[in-house]
Every structure is written in structure tokens, then in C-alpha cells.
Amino acid sequence: QVQLVESGGGLVQAGGSLRLSCAASRSLRSIDTMGWYREAPGKQREFVAISISGGIATYAGSVKGRFTMSRDNAENTMYLQMSSLKPEDTAVYYCNAYSESMWSWGQGNQVTVSS
């Protein structure tokens, strides 16, 4: 099972930017699917972005045009660049990976957007 370690969350004002990182324990090329989810207080975890086999990412409508998913295969790291942040983007963000018929999750990273 792949291990995922996240970093990069924090507090930012509305309109600002943050980049989340998700470092994997092995080559991203060996991972079928990678993505990002978020969980706001009192709400269910929701889909943010996904990339299958390193292809073009698909985004939730609420973040499309503001968030960009990317990867650095040499560093075995996936990123989520978040721009034009809104207070409603406040949540704990999780990266995940699907490989060898198993899902793995990062530890979660708090992102707080103040108005």
C-alpha cells in the first residue's frame, strides 16, 4: 500500500493562493489514480480533483478554473495549486491514491480561508 504524506496547508485571506503537496512512498508511475478530496466542518468528504494514469485532471465544478492538479514524477509528489480562494474552500484536504486494488489516504491538511 502506498504511503502519502501531505504538506502545505494553512491560513490565507480570500482571493489568495496556497499549494498543497502530497509525497508518495513510491513512483507515481506505479499508481493508477491520484486525487484530492476535502472535508468541511459538518459536511461529508467531497471530490475536488482526480487524475487517472497521469492523464489530464478532472475537477469539481466548484473549483474548476481556480485549482490545478500537477505532479513531479522525479520527486514522487503530487500538488494542488489553489488560487482565488474563497471562505467556502475552508476544509481539511486529503490526497488519495489507488494502486494494486487498494486506496490510500494522506493524513489531511487544514486549509482556512478568511473573509
Side-chain angles (χ1 to χ4, degrees):
Q1 185 177 13
V2 63
Q3 306 299 317
L4 302 173
V5 178
E6 299 182 45
S7 60
L11 174 64
V12 64
Q13 288 188 332
S17 299
L18 277 176
R19 188 178 77 163
L20 302 180
S21 300
C22 177
S25 58
R26 64 171 189 254
S27 171
L28 299 187
R29 293 186 176 91
S30 70
I31 300 173
D32 301 316
T33 299
M34 296 195 76
W36 293 92
Y37 287 74
R38 66 186 183 187
E39 189 170 326
K43 295 185 178 181
Q44 290 188 330
R45 191 171 298 187
E46 65 175 7
F47 163 77
V48 174
I50 192 170
S51 173
I52 299 174
S53 300
I56 296 174
T58 299
Y59 300 91
S62 58
V63 308
K64 194 172 184 179
R66 301 187 298 120
F67 290 12
T68 302
M69 187 175 167
S70 64
R71 54 198 283 160
D72 183 335
N73 289 332
E75 297 293 330
N76 295 339
T77 300
M78 175 177 69
Y79 302 98
L80 183 69
Q81 178 68 47
M82 305 182 292
S83 302
S84 301
L85 283 161
K86 305 174 181 180
E88 51 263 43
D89 294 318
T90 295
V92 176
Y93 284 71
Y94 298 89
C95 62
N96 78 344
Y98 183 74
S99 180
E100 298 176 343
S101 302
M102 295 182 67
W103 286 100
S104 300
W105 291 87
Q107 81 278 13
N109 223 339
Q110 178 69 47
V111 171
T112 302
V113 185
S114 62
S115 57

